[in-house]
Amino acid sequence: MKLKTIFNILFLALLTVLTVWTVFVEPRPAAGPDAIGVIMTRTSIRRYEPRPVEPGKVDTLLRAAMAAPSAGNKQPWAFVVLTDTALTDSIARHIGPARPLKGAPLAIVVCADTTRTFAGPAHDFWVQDASAATENMLLAAHAMGLGAVWLGVYPMAERTRFVGRLLGLPESVLPLGIVAVGYPAESPAPKDKWRPEAVHANRW
Amino acid sequence: MKLKTIFNILFLALLTVLTVWTVFVEPRPAAGPDAIGVIMTRTSIRRYEPRPVEPGKVDTLLRAAMAAPSAGNKQPWAFVVLTDTALTDSIARHIGPARPLKGAPLAIVVCADTTRTFAGPAHDFWVQDASAATENMLLAAHAMGLGAVWLGVYPMAERTRFVGRLLGLPESVLPLGIVAVGYPAESPAPKDKWRPEAVHANRW
């Protein structure tokens, strides 16, 4: 066998090993977009394609929300998943800043079941718990190629009452906010909100 | 030239193209851990290695916080970065549930500058804004291999007063909570908090 033939065989073998390695074996980063990037590039999306959000993605949004921390691990949150456009349209009509709900294929109302929270002065930690759950949901939406916007309800008394009545919420359940979700039909640039003057070292 | 030689050359060429493609060309996910995974596996870390957190990571934590959404884009948040252990130790001594601050190389006090918020009934949206910023910070910490825990301050009157006085916060600045941060010296399993009964379809 010629030296050249041996060389060719070895070269071929090396390439085969490299190919198989890089395609099948090499440990790769997880498939999804990276967390810091998702946090930094999330921005409010207010216009959506009409196509529905897949049930698997709705499930991931809810799991992300419930993975949030909560004071004393009370997990006071509860969620109403709106796919009935009669409901989302009605909210959009009655609450001015909730207009993006008109045309959203999906909305998730983030509530707090106040029977699950602390009594006494720690009661209102539920607002922070439900807010953390909401932020997790916004980030998970962005990570899955969805667009979302957080529409504030509580503590605006009229909005809180309207949403509670429309969705038949028990007295003890308060709607903190509504996340409108869908495949983005706009692509606004994320705002640069970095303000170094908001940072203080050790004392104000 | 023999047919076999031609075949060999073609095969070699194909393998070369494949190798170059998979190594250099194929679009790959970003290097960091994936966002959904970070959201699902974040858990409170209360014990830390003594080594300090690198300034670059502190910067990323603050940028992540300020990338949060806020009602009316008011960005009412402000941050006090605590590396002075006399301060963190003092808070740990005075506020029972803030014990993890004892031994934390870093803590970030998430505040709201209430001069930056709405007047009237929308004023208290600052709690939700600052909570979203806090959650972003917890997720960014986890994504960078740090551990963190959210220690509640507001609306507990005594805690709010104590932290405000200790850090010299102006009257208009309220401390929502404190995030203790460091390299984890414990590795608790993330809690499974999935509760399908917390999910309602269209109406409660």
Side-chain angles (χ1 to χ4, degrees):
Chain A
M1 206 150 59
K2 278 185 195 163
L3 198 68
K4 205 176 153 190
T5 313
I6 293 173
F7 174 78
N8 276 343
I9 290 170
L10 282 177
F11 185 59
L12 230 156
L14 177 70
L15 274 177
T16 309
V17 166
L18 258 174
T19 307
V20 170
W21 179 266
T22 54
V23 175
F24 300 108
V25 183
E26 191 207 0
R28 316 195 125 207
D34 88 298
I36 302 285
V38 164
I39 292 171
M40 300 304 186
T41 60
R42 183 215 54 80
T43 194
S44 299
I45 300 293
R46 295 180 172 83
R47 291 180 56 230
Y48 318 95
E49 293 181 11
R51 63 174 159 141
V53 176
E54 298 85 338
K57 291 193 176 182
V58 179
D59 184 80
T60 300
L61 292 174
L62 294 164
R63 286 178 187 271
M66 293 193 212
S70 57
N73 193 28
K74 294 283 189 186
Q75 305 169 33
W77 40 65
F79 307 89
V80 185
V81 179
L82 304 182
T83 49
D84 179 349
T85 53
L87 294 170
T88 43
D89 284 2
S90 171
I91 301 172
R93 261 197 318 276
H94 281 84
I95 300 177
R99 267 186 307 273
L101 284 174
K102 176 91 194 153
L106 173 70
I108 298 178
V109 185
V110 180
C111 305
D113 178 347
T114 60
T115 62
R116 292 179 62 91
T117 54
F118 291 97
H123 178 269
D124 281 353
F125 275 136
W126 74 260
V127 176
Q128 300 173 47
D129 303 337
S131 296
T134 307
E135 179 63 5
N136 272 9
M137 209 187 281
L138 295 180
L139 294 172
H142 182 41
M144 293 189 292
L146 295 164
V149 63
W150 180 339
L151 307 164
V153 176
Y154 181 92
M156 310 292 273
E158 257 182 75
R159 297 185 194 177
T160 306
R161 214 162 27 230
F162 176 79
V163 173
R165 216 170 279 165
L166 185 73
L167 305 181
L169 304 182
E171 283 278 305
S172 59
V173 174
L174 293 169
L176 178 86
I178 305 173
V179 178
V181 190
Y183 284 93
E186 61 177 4
S187 48
K191 300 178 197 72
D192 178 8
K193 297 185 278 191
W194 174 242
R195 285 189 298 115
E197 68 276 16
V199 181
H200 302 258
N202 288 306
R203 277 183 183 81
W204 189 267
Chain B
M1 207 150 58
K2 278 184 194 160
L3 197 69
K4 206 174 151 188
T5 313
I6 293 172
F7 174 77
N8 276 342
I9 289 168
L10 282 176
F11 185 59
L12 231 156
L14 177 71
L15 274 177
T16 309
V17 166
L18 259 173
T19 306
V20 169
W21 178 265
T22 54
V23 175
F24 299 108
V25 182
E26 191 205 359
R28 317 195 125 208
D34 89 296
I36 303 286
V38 163
I39 291 171
M40 300 304 186
T41 61
R42 182 216 54 80
T43 195
S44 299
I45 300 293
R46 295 180 171 84
R47 291 180 56 232
Y48 317 96
E49 293 181 12
R51 63 174 161 140
V53 176
E54 299 84 338
K57 292 195 174 180
V58 179
D59 185 80
T60 301
L61 291 174
L62 294 164
R63 285 178 187 272
M66 293 193 211
S70 57
N73 193 28
K74 295 283 190 185
Q75 307 168 30
W77 39 64
F79 306 90
V80 185
V81 178
L82 303 182
T83 49
D84 179 349
T85 53
L87 294 170
T88 43
D89 285 2
S90 171
I91 300 172
R93 262 197 317 277
H94 280 83
I95 301 177
R99 265 186 307 275
L101 284 173
K102 175 89 194 154
L106 172 70
I108 298 177
V109 185
V110 180
C111 304
D113 178 347
T114 60
T115 62
R116 292 180 62 91
T117 55
F118 292 96
H123 178 268
D124 281 353
F125 275 136
W126 73 260
V127 176
Q128 300 175 45
D129 303 336
S131 297
T134 307
E135 179 62 5
N136 272 8
M137 209 188 279
L138 296 179
L139 294 171
H142 182 41
M144 293 189 290
L146 295 163
V149 63
W150 180 339
L151 307 164
V153 176
Y154 181 92
M156 310 291 273
E158 256 182 76
R159 296 184 194 178
T160 306
R161 215 162 27 228
F162 176 78
V163 173
R165 215 168 282 166
L166 185 72
L167 306 181
L169 303 182
E171 283 279 306
S172 58
V173 175
L174 292 169
L176 178 86
I178 305 173
V179 178
V181 190
Y183 284 94
E186 61 177 4
S187 48
K191 300 177 196 75
D192 178 8
K193 296 184 279 191
W194 173 242
R195 285 189 299 116
E197 68 274 18
V199 181
H200 302 258
N202 287 307
R203 277 183 185 81
W204 189 266

